[in-house]
Amino acid sequence: MRRTRWFVWLVVVVAMVGAACGEADDPTTATGGDDNEAGSTTAAPTFDAGTTMARIQQKGEITVGVKYDQPGFGQQDPATGEVEGFDVEIAKLIAVAILGGDVDSVEDKIEFVESVSKNREPFIQDGRVDIVVATYTINDTRKQVIDFAGPYFVAKQDIMVRKDDTSIKAVDDLNGKKVCTAKGSTSEKNIRAKAPRADVLLFDGYDECKEALVDERVVAVSTDNTILAGYVDRSPDELKLVDNPFSDEPYGIGLKKGDEAFRDFLNDRLEEIFEGGQWGDAFESTLGQLGLETPDTPTLDRYGAAGGATTSTTGTGGTGGAGGSGSTSTTGASSTSSSTG
Ligand code: GLU
């Protein structure tokens, strides 16, 4: 009898401790203002009237340009229509700071819009999107028409070839060969500068380039190493990375030119998620799944309001963007010239 009572008490105490732990882990019970842990909620702050943040709050939704065809960064699941990747996670973390809630609930308040490389500046300029988070390299050419917060990541341009290819080891080797990249990308500009005799095939997106490589219409695809890593991860028996990078590609969040209050807000939020660990969590749950190690957080470039000043972190800036010369594909796949890159 005595033994039985002792056992009942033990069960009660264990149940109480368990309930208390469960409560602490429950995201819905987290208090507003602390969103440093994944799943925790934050209250929507109050912004000065007339700011972009206040306008977004008023419409109850943020519109974000992302890629739909880039594994690891922005990829649409054809079955559900949902987009996922590191850029998508960054967009959610920005949205939480404006609209409140948590990274899961805020999804309902984000309108994702597919942005290919060449339409990122126009989408920002004509107000189609509030921000672009789409493997978007910060450079001085682009800063003439839009502004950037960040960088929130620094990639490097590299080359992807078929698994059995041993002829391409560096960017010079692309001279005289067919290589594919996207219209309006810095990748095109860099290939034209570093392998001027390459025969460049241009498409709107990198998926089409990957198909062209598999079908042997080109011998290589060149763009940021992290984008290529996503394709190699999906087809390791068919594709490989040359792994000889030849540029720095600091990724920024694109926003309307001259909106200094919004740019400061975005940079402050990036700093907050760098320091609070959400940036690292976002990396691990997306690019980390492709085997990429979480890098150090980059140094933000809070450049002056004039916009065009050369920045310390933009390795490819200042020499004109991709397609700035109005170049077109020499293989006939592309009939339109690229926008500014
Ligand atoms: N990061 C480069 C760019 O912004 C290449 C990747 C892309 O096209 O998004 O142009």
Side-chain angles (χ1 to χ4, degrees):
M1 181 72 186
R2 245 192 130 107
R3 243 179 117 129
T4 313
R5 203 174 293 154
W6 181 86
F7 181 73
V8 169
W9 273 112
L10 184 70
V11 169
V12 169
V13 169
V14 167
M16 282 170 73
V17 169
C21 290
E23 215 167 83
D25 284 342
D26 180 354
T28 57
T29 59
T31 49
D34 176 12
D35 62 339
N36 283 352
E37 284 167 34
S40 61
T41 62
T42 187
T46 306
F47 295 105
D48 287 346
T51 59
T52 300
M53 296 81 81
R55 183 181 56 76
I56 292 168
Q57 248 181 18
Q58 210 173 3
K59 66 174 173 153
E61 180 181 80
I62 184 167
T63 314
V64 184
V66 291
K67 295 290 185 84
Y68 274 27
D69 68 346
Q70 286 182 193
F73 281 98
Q75 170 121 60
Q76 189 177 40
D77 179 334
T80 63
E82 305 245 308
V83 270
E84 49 192 42
F86 186 55
D87 283 341
V88 171
E89 294 306 309
I90 295 292
K92 287 185 202 167
L93 289 163
I94 298 295
V96 164
I98 301 175
L99 297 161
D102 60 46
V103 284
D104 295 323
S105 66
V106 85
E107 271 186 76
D108 295 342
K109 296 177 182 167
I110 305 177
E111 188 202 341
F112 288 110
V113 176
E114 182 178 16
S115 303
V116 295
S117 301
K118 67 171 186 184
N119 67 19
R120 292 173 292 195
E121 289 94 297
F123 274 13
I124 294 168
Q125 287 175 291
D126 66 20
R128 175 75 188 85
V129 297
D130 295 309
I131 52 173
V132 164
V133 193
T135 62
Y136 201 6
T137 297
I138 301 169
N139 71 20
D140 288 350
T141 306
R142 290 172 176 165
K143 277 158 66 182
Q144 283 168 19
V145 291
I146 57 131
D147 269 318
F148 286 103
Y152 62 89
F153 183 76
V154 182
K156 287 175 185 296
Q157 188 166 342
D158 211 316
I159 301 163
M160 178 169 77
V161 292
R162 287 186 295 274
K163 189 78 185 252
D164 55 0
D165 187 293
T166 50
S167 66
I168 298 166
K169 296 190 171 63
V171 63
D172 301 3
D173 298 328
L174 296 177
N175 279 308
K177 301 212 173 80
K178 281 192 175 172
V179 55
C180 190
T181 194
K183 294 174 197 168
S185 65
T186 53
S187 316
E188 182 200 353
K189 178 203 78 169
N190 293 334
I191 296 164
R192 294 201 188 275
K194 296 188 185 218
R197 287 181 295 100
D199 186 0
V200 184
L201 176 64
L202 296 173
F203 285 116
D204 281 350
Y206 297 102
D207 258 2
E208 292 154 293
C209 281
K210 192 217 81 182
E211 290 308 317
L213 178 61
V214 172
D215 295 351
E216 307 196 10
R217 279 174 282 146
V218 295
V219 297
V221 177
S222 183
T223 187
D224 303 343
N225 52 0
T226 36
I227 298 172
L228 299 176
Y231 288 115
V232 173
D233 181 71
R234 297 177 141 211
S235 310
D237 298 332
E238 268 180 315
L239 305 169
K240 68 179 179 189
L241 199 64
V242 167
D243 201 10
N244 190 355
F246 54 89
S247 77
D248 279 344
E249 304 293 327
Y251 291 173
I253 300 175
L255 70 148
K256 240 187 196 140
K257 187 163 175 65
D259 193 344
E260 294 307 310
F262 193 31
R263 184 154 65 97
D264 282 345
F265 168 81
L266 292 171
N267 277 322
D268 288 348
R269 177 59 175 161
L270 286 176
E271 199 162 282
E272 191 173 58
I273 64 169
F274 288 174
E275 285 166 13
Q278 301 99 318
W279 178 90
D281 291 344
F283 192 95
E284 273 154 38
S285 67
T286 55
L287 295 164
Q289 302 303 306
L290 305 179
L292 301 177
E293 257 182 48
T294 309
D296 289 340
T297 53
T299 305
L300 290 175
D301 176 15
R302 294 175 184 263
Y303 59 85
T310 306
T311 62
S312 55
T313 49
T314 49
T316 58
T319 53
S325 57
S327 49
T328 55
S329 166
T330 50
T331 59
S334 160
S335 56
T336 50
S337 61
S338 306
S339 63
T340 55

